[in-house]
Amino acid sequence: MTETSFDLVLSGGTVFDPVAGTRTVTDVAVNGDRVARIAPSLAARGREVVDCAGAWVLPGLVEAHTHIFESVSKVGAPPDEAHLRRGVVAAADAGTAGASTFAAFERFVVRPAEMRVVNFLNVSVLGLIDFRFGELLNPATLVPEDALAVAREHPDVVRGFKIRLSEDVVGPAWRSLLKTSLQLAADAGLPLMVHIGETEEPLPEVLGLLRPGDIVAHCYTGKPHGILDDGKVLAEVLDARARGVLFDSAHGKSNLSFEVARKAIAEGFLPDLLTSDTSGRNWRGPVFDLVTSAAKLRALGMSMDEIVPRMTIAPARLLGLDAEGYGTLAEGGPAHVTVLRDTPETTLPDAAGNSIVAPRLEPALVLHGGRRVETTPWRGLDQDR
Ligand SMILES: [Zn+2]
């Protein structure tokens, strides 16, 4: 009697189950597009075996905040190149497209991408086309009926709404624009992602308006009106979290301060969602990609056990992608797998001109639905050329 064989066995890695909150040194066997077995000693039965000793074997990474409306938006990064080839198998574009530009987003990004793409629809019908001209400076561009219609027609893609609450985007009308956006999100039954940093108003004023499940992006911003006061996390921030408001690390070109992150993490204030806020303006540095953002937060005090669920199951649940098998690694489920290895120490920049020396995380093998993805080297390696 012969035992069944497997197409591929990832052998001896540290395998995370972020749903159970466990990790085990074991083997993962893949057949076709499915995870066939997770158990020790499967290597002898693999038609192909990849030695994963010393590596982290994770569910395929899910990015809840990025900008991938390439060629249309000035901040659009290439979806597969900036994400899939760096270990991210599913991502949410955070407000680059609005109702009037959504059809192009679906046609030129969502459909052709190899990775799974969903979005937070910008509450402005324009979306974020050109960062020099705030998309809500003309408040009439917030047309709730248009946004609601797109969300209802495209439930496979639209998983929330986004408002950029920066002074140069919303102007003085921030409060009424935020309230209208919250009503729109309530009507659609979806969360609202609110970008802070460059906001005019104190954060507690904004937090007081948000509902459970809404998301505050850029929680470690070093700009005024952040989460800290006198080096301590604001009581209103902790209250908002207790009510179910979510906080997103969203590195971005200018919104991760190592100093703020280090203090907040030391106090136990971790992001609910670990995201990169990759864009056409930062994917060659200082952000680079999601795994580099994760390596920075690890260097600032988060453990891998804390990091992994925040870039797998937590965003998958928020985006409704857990129903498609994203964010988990389970027998019988789709084979979305990202294997990461620690690199030697590298100098990593934040968004405020500081740097830290720490090992990075580098994708060694990526499977999306069982299909092997070609990975690409870290873009920071080109910096000296
Ligand atoms: Zn963003």
Side-chain angles (χ1 to χ4, degrees):
M1 189 180 117
T2 53
E3 285 188 295
T4 48
S5 60
F6 303 111
D7 292 341
L8 173 66
V9 173
L10 309 176
S11 114
T14 299
V15 180
F16 281 79
D17 178 345
V19 176
T22 57
R23 57 155 137 148
T24 325
V25 174
T26 190
D27 294 352
V28 176
V30 174
N31 260 341
D33 61 357
R34 298 274 134 186
V35 175
R37 286 288 305 281
I38 300 176
S41 309
L42 301 176
R45 294 159 62 186
R47 284 188 282 279
E48 182 187 355
V49 178
V50 175
D51 180 8
C52 293
W56 311 104
V57 180
L58 276 48
L61 305 182
V62 181
E63 161 80 85
H65 185 155
T66 185
H67 296 276
I68 46 180
F69 200 0
E70 195 188 16
S71 304
V72 172
S73 168
K74 275 186 118 60
V75 304
D80 291 329
E81 188 60 26
H83 297 84
L84 188 61
R85 314 222 180 287
R86 298 290 300 158
V88 175
V89 299
D93 181 274
T96 324
S100 297
T101 46
F102 180 83
F105 179 69
E106 194 190 34
R107 181 167 170 192
F108 299 118
V109 178
V110 177
R111 280 194 232 149
E114 285 176 54
M115 62 190 294
R116 177 77 167 99
V117 175
V118 295
N119 87 335
F120 291 91
L121 188 72
N122 199 307
V123 296
S124 163
V125 294
L126 305 177
L128 202 189
I129 297 299
D130 188 324
F131 52 85
R132 294 172 299 176
F133 310 103
E135 63 266 24
L136 285 168
L137 285 181
N138 176 351
T141 66
L142 205 178
V143 185
E145 312 81 77
D146 286 18
L148 203 52
V150 167
R152 288 190 172 144
E153 282 160 27
H154 303 276
D156 53 326
V157 179
V158 180
R159 299 294 162 93
F161 297 96
K162 171 87 182 276
I163 181 168
R164 296 198 306 135
L165 216 58
S166 296
E167 202 189 347
D168 66 339
V169 178
V170 288
W174 74 270
R175 188 183 294 273
S176 70
L177 288 166
L178 178 57
K179 283 186 171 170
T180 306
S181 302
L182 285 161
Q183 187 56 53
L184 158 65
D187 290 345
L190 292 171
L192 179 69
M193 179 182 274
V194 178
H195 147 136
I196 63 162
E198 305 103 12
T199 36
E200 173 84 318
E201 53 290 342
L203 184 55
E205 276 195 55
V206 176
L207 292 174
L209 297 169
L210 302 187
R211 310 162 303 159
D214 290 331
I215 305 136
V216 176
H218 309 302
C219 68
Y220 296 149
T221 184
K223 296 187 173 169
H225 301 313
I227 63 168
L228 299 183
D229 181 35
D230 215 8
K232 293 268 172 224
V233 177
L234 287 163
E236 291 91 339
V237 169
L238 299 175
D239 289 348
R241 162 161 286 177
R243 280 196 302 118
V245 173
L246 304 175
F247 291 84
D248 164 23
S249 61
H251 185 321
K253 179 170 161 287
S254 55
N255 282 303
L256 172 67
S257 153
F258 283 167
E259 194 191 340
V260 172
R262 189 183 280 115
K263 285 178 179 161
I265 291 168
E267 269 192 57
F269 189 83
L270 308 182
D272 297 285
L273 304 164
L274 197 165
T275 71
S276 68
D277 191 13
T278 289
S279 78
R281 293 203 289 167
N282 65 39
W283 72 300
R284 297 177 190 282
V287 172
F288 298 105
D289 47 43
L290 180 60
V291 288
T292 306
S293 297
K296 290 175 184 178
L297 294 186
R298 181 172 67 171
L300 295 167
M302 283 179 74
S303 68
M304 286 300 283
D305 291 320
E306 291 166 339
I307 285 170
V308 172
R310 290 166 169 84
M311 56 180 189
T312 54
I313 189 63
R317 282 180 177 147
L318 173 79
L319 299 167
L321 292 171
D322 55 333
E324 299 173 26
Y326 288 99
T328 64
L329 197 51
E331 290 183 358
H336 305 313
V337 185
T338 297
V339 179
L340 299 177
R341 282 194 184 277
D342 294 324
T343 70
E345 293 195 325
T346 315
T347 300
L348 300 170
D350 72 357
N354 302 303
S355 61
I356 195 168
V357 177
R360 286 185 298 104
L361 290 159
E362 189 63 18
L365 180 142
V366 180
L367 300 177
H368 185 213
R371 208 173 38 78
R372 190 88 67 100
V373 170
E374 195 184 324
T375 55
T376 194
W378 188 55
R379 289 189 184 81
L381 298 173
D382 300 332
Q383 298 298 296
D384 304 333
R385 285 187 203 157

